[in-house]
Amino acid sequence: MNSPTEPDDSETRGLARLLTPEGMALLDSLGPYDPDSSLSLSKSLRAQGHDPELVSAALTQSRLRAKARTKFGDFARHMVFTRDGVEQATRWSVAALHAQRFAQAGIRHVVDLGCGVGADSLALAALERTVTAVERDPVTAAAATLNLTGWPGARVVCAAAESLDLAALENGAADGVWLDPARRVTGAGGTRRVFDPEAFSPPLSFVTGLARRGLAVGAKIGPGIPHDHVPEDAEAQWISERGDVVEAVLWFNAVRRPGVARAALVLGHDAAGPGAPASEPTAETGSGTHETGSAANGDTGGGADGNGTSGGDRAASSAAELTSDSWQSPPPEGDLLGPVGRYLYEPDGAVIRAGLVTDLAERLGAHLVHPSIAYLSSDTLVRTPLARAYEVREVLPHTVKVLRRWVKEQDVGTLEIKKRGTDVTPEQLRRQLAPRGTRRATLVMTRLAEAGAERRVVLAVNPLN
């Protein structure tokens, strides 16, 4: 997770007040957070005799719970958050997959180093793992303690990750470690992101040191990690949810899958919360890459169609994964490079981050339209949750005059502009095209490779999924 911002005494005092029978009773008595009525509610609670500081803390926590619903669903109503914690917490659907890795590998005691408010620890506890949750920030550790109340196999320790003796824990020696290293540092001007893995806290060398001891290790790393920074003995898995690339994870030893060097996992929906079943896509054997469609709600049955991709209806509620057994992908040449066909594919961000664009092209029977741009095309539609598909309507010149006329002729009023490989600013171009009609349209600004040269074009497309 990221380093906490500068300590806020009011947040510390407020959380301390909430972690009392009176504070929790007041917090749990509040209805769903409504920003429009928060001021009147505050006045009403104070008039009833509640301490102003406690009222402020309860309303702040109610607001954080509402914000956390996007990650935890209804279960957020039973949790306590810090301002940093709600931003940095792992989404429940993703945390459930982390936990399942350890459970499937038979790992019994997992230390969650940098546990934050306890999302990953909750997921591990829900799968009956013994959990030692470690957090260096006292306020965040207090929140994690409350969130893990009721899970007898979980214990929170307020300490720095590097200072902990994993062989001398109250719950016994650990055989697995989960880490979420801080990727921000705090300075005089606030926080800033760091990109050097050795500047993380703890650094990547600490993670690999744990792996060399034979422990089952999973480490959440920013999705922008360069491929040459990935240790040779790790599996790297990029994960996206609903089109948002949320993380990359390095897996070592018992939690690393045989024959998988890198993977792109695309999730379609959230699990319900702790105790809800969750499953990770099951690997198919094949030519080094595979795509699976297993429901994240626990259904690990079939559902793939004959070409190895999940059906369109199932994709909305499934997890699909593309993997490779090496760091070498087919080069974008020959049959994997060609003109714009009837359909255009926009690979999911996890596929792009994992460097699996040409691997996906092979699976779809498609090709790139430019060797350095992540758009695929073909004349045959193959539906897959690993890419958004579009039907190509027209190929237009990359000129404002032509596009303005096209927008007017097509009676376009709502215009989506996508781009790759061009320096166009969509907002500026939209103002120049001045759509004022009644219809919707999507334009894709990109470059095509043609006869050893390249051409800037605009593709008018219809979204298909």
Side-chain angles (χ1 to χ4, degrees), residues 370-385:
H370 189 284
S372 62
I373 298 176
Y375 281 132
L376 310 178
S377 189
S378 71
D379 288 322
T380 303
L381 176 64
V382 179
R383 295 188 182 273
T384 171

Side-chain angles (χ1 to χ4, degrees), residues 190-205:
T191 63
R192 62 179 178 86
R193 186 174 294 278
V194 294
F195 299 96
D196 179 2
E198 283 307 299
F200 296 169
S201 180
L204 182 57
S205 57

Side-chain angles (χ1 to χ4, degrees), residues 440-453:
R440 301 178 63 90
T442 301
L443 297 179
V444 177
M445 328 291 290
T446 191
R447 306 196 314 271
L448 305 181
E450 297 178 335

Side-chain angles (χ1 to χ4, degrees), residues 113 134-136 157-169 202 206:
L113 295 178
V134 182
E135 172 57 50
R136 70 189 307 165
V157 177
C158 186
E162 299 92 329
S163 67
L164 206 66
D165 184 353
L166 301 183
L169 301 172
F206 178 80

Side-chain angles (χ1 to χ4, degrees), residues 22-75:
E22 177 191 7
M24 292 307 298
L26 176 61
L27 177 60
D28 291 338
S29 71
L30 302 179
Y33 181 75
D34 179 6
D36 295 330
S37 63
S38 60
L39 181 58
S40 60
L41 178 58
S42 175
K43 292 179 179 178
S44 174
L45 293 173
R46 294 182 187 193
Q48 296 172 30
H50 293 289
D51 178 78
E53 187 176 53
L54 180 59
V55 170
S56 177
L59 289 175
T60 296
Q61 194 59 225
S62 180
R63 175 175 56 82
L64 293 177
R65 283 179 168 181
K67 190 174 184 178
R69 283 178 59 87
T70 59
K71 293 185 175 182
F72 294 92
D74 287 341
F75 194 75

